[in-house]
Amino acid sequence: MGCCFSDKIEKKECCPCCQCCDNILQSQICNNPCCKKFFPEWQVTSSWWIFALRTTILGLFVLAGMIFCSLWSEPIFDTAEITYGSGIILALFMTQTTFLILVYGPYLIKVYPWWVTGLIFVIYVGFTLYLFVEQLVRGNLKQFKTDSVLFDIWTIIHFLAGPFFALCLPFIWMFVVVTAWEIMEALTFGFGESEVIGNRIVDILVAVVGWWLVIIIFKKTRKDIPWISSMNAAGNGGEEINWRWVFNKISCGCCFKDADNGTKEEKDIAQQMEYNDNQQQTQDTPEQEFAEL
């Protein structure tokens, strides 16, 4: 039968969402043009080794929580309110977010100039670690009023999260992650359980604004906006990533020379990536010459 888009494919129609999960699973994660257009990353996340690795890591954190259940409500640091239970929940949250970034990020990050990626990463991660350690761990920075006001010093972090996730997540997953973070804060201790509802709403909204700022600046057309899929909205026309080709470029040709070490499918993908890379350089050259004039 194919998948939930089967009847629409015969009519040459396409819809943006799937409504029958059972049929998707029966069709090997919806292996047809419509699902490949809107949900190509599902084929990656359904890979047995990714599922097994993620399940193993999450299982270890759950096991740790069961073993140290007697310490669940005990603070980890004398200077902070973060409990062992909150730390385990944070680890589960970060693990799931990391896997999402690894699946969706490679298609998006290659679109941005390297200096943009580096600058956003350093500013966001650096500032977040500083505030986390100084305020939540050491208990410093008490001069800043937080949680009881709409805008506080952490609003800056939530705003910077928007550009960071624009580098690696489509809109739907960015919104899910920033919303899930606010829910996690409300259910744990030491991360902001006393925040007023207005502060939580502002934190979500500023992250969305930050995401859109980067997308608007660097996306050339409306079709490049990654609403659901990164692969089909990264300005690469749904081009798959051949990691042998990527490592070959990173190693300056020392590893995985050309695509000769890969399968036929990998060779085809590598050749297409090489062609697109050359086409992009050809298009950039006239623009640079015009700019110099």
Side-chain angles (χ1 to χ4, degrees):
M1 175 182 173
C3 117
C4 53
F5 293 132
S6 298
D7 55 339
K8 295 185 177 294
I9 291 175
E10 294 177 1
K11 300 177 183 179
K12 297 182 179 180
E13 296 179 0
C14 211
C15 56
C17 62
C18 233
Q19 299 179 353
C20 49
C21 297
D22 291 339
N23 287 338
I24 297 176
L25 296 176
Q26 293 173 6
S27 61
Q28 296 181 349
I29 311 304
C30 208
N31 188 24
N32 65 52
C34 271
C35 286
K36 284 183 178 180
K37 176 179 180 181
F38 293 104
F39 309 109
E41 290 87 356
W42 283 14
Q43 299 178 19
V44 179
T45 55
S46 64
S47 300
W48 70 268
W49 65 272
I50 289 185
F51 176 81
L53 180 60
R54 178 173 55 186
T55 303
T56 301
I57 296 176
L58 294 177
L60 289 175
F61 285 128
V62 172
L63 180 62
M66 297 174 62
I67 294 176
F68 299 101
C69 60
S70 60
L71 300 174
W72 188 265
S73 301
E74 295 295 324
I76 300 177
F77 309 100
D78 296 334
T79 56
E81 299 179 358
I82 302 175
T83 63
Y84 282 94
S86 298
I88 292 176
I89 294 176
L90 175 63
L92 292 171
F93 179 88
M94 296 303 296
T95 299
Q96 181 63 29
T97 302
T98 300
F99 271 93
L100 286 174
I101 291 175
L102 291 176
V103 169
Y104 289 89
Y107 299 102
L108 285 174
I109 200 169
K110 65 185 225 177
V111 179
Y112 301 100
W114 66 269
W115 61 269
V116 172
T117 302
L119 186 63
I120 292 177
F121 180 83
V122 170
I123 293 177
Y124 172 67
V125 175
F127 198 19
T128 301
L129 289 177
Y130 171 76
L131 280 185
F132 185 86
V133 173
E134 283 298 316
Q135 188 174 68
L136 299 184
V137 176
R138 295 183 177 179
N140 298 327
L141 305 179
K142 296 184 180 297
Q143 66 271 27
F144 295 105
K145 191 175 183 180
T146 60
D147 298 344
S148 60
V149 293
L150 293 180
F151 297 89
D152 56 30
I153 191 171
W154 285 95
T155 304
I156 302 175
I157 299 297
H158 288 282
F159 172 76
L160 293 175
F164 175 79
F165 286 130
L167 301 176
C168 50
L169 289 180
F171 179 84
I172 184 65
W173 279 117
M174 176 277 301
F175 190 80
V176 168
V177 168
V178 298
T179 302
W181 175 265
E182 295 301 321
I183 297 175
M184 188 199 73
E185 283 186 339
L187 300 178
T188 56
F189 296 97
F191 296 128
E193 66 278 6
S194 60
E195 281 186 4
V196 296
I197 186 65
N199 185 290
R200 300 192 189 281
I201 294 175
V202 168
D203 289 345
I204 295 174
L205 291 179
V206 295
V208 172
V209 170
W211 188 90
W212 273 110
L213 282 177
V214 174
I215 294 299
I216 291 174
I217 291 174
F218 290 98
K219 294 301 178 181
K220 298 179 181 178
T221 66
R222 178 176 58 85
K223 294 182 179 180
D224 285 342
I225 298 175
W227 290 100
I228 302 175
S229 169
S230 297
M231 176 180 171
N232 288 321
N236 61 355
E239 173 193 323
E240 297 182 23
I241 293 179
N242 184 325
W243 289 106
R244 293 177 180 271
W245 182 88
V246 173
F247 290 132
N248 176 262
K249 291 293 185 180
I250 294 176
S251 63
C252 299
C254 296
C255 300
F256 302 109
K257 296 181 180 179
D258 299 325
D260 294 337
N261 295 328
T263 63
K264 182 180 183 303
E265 182 180 357
E266 289 175 329
K267 293 178 183 179
D268 293 339
I269 296 173
Q271 291 174 359
Q272 183 63 40
M273 293 176 72
E274 189 74 46
Y275 172 78
N276 292 343
D277 192 30
N278 293 335
Q279 287 292 103
Q280 184 64 38
Q281 293 178 3
T282 303
Q283 294 175 2
D284 292 343
T285 301
E287 295 179 359
Q288 295 174 356
E289 293 178 352
F290 178 78
E292 293 176 357
L293 291 176

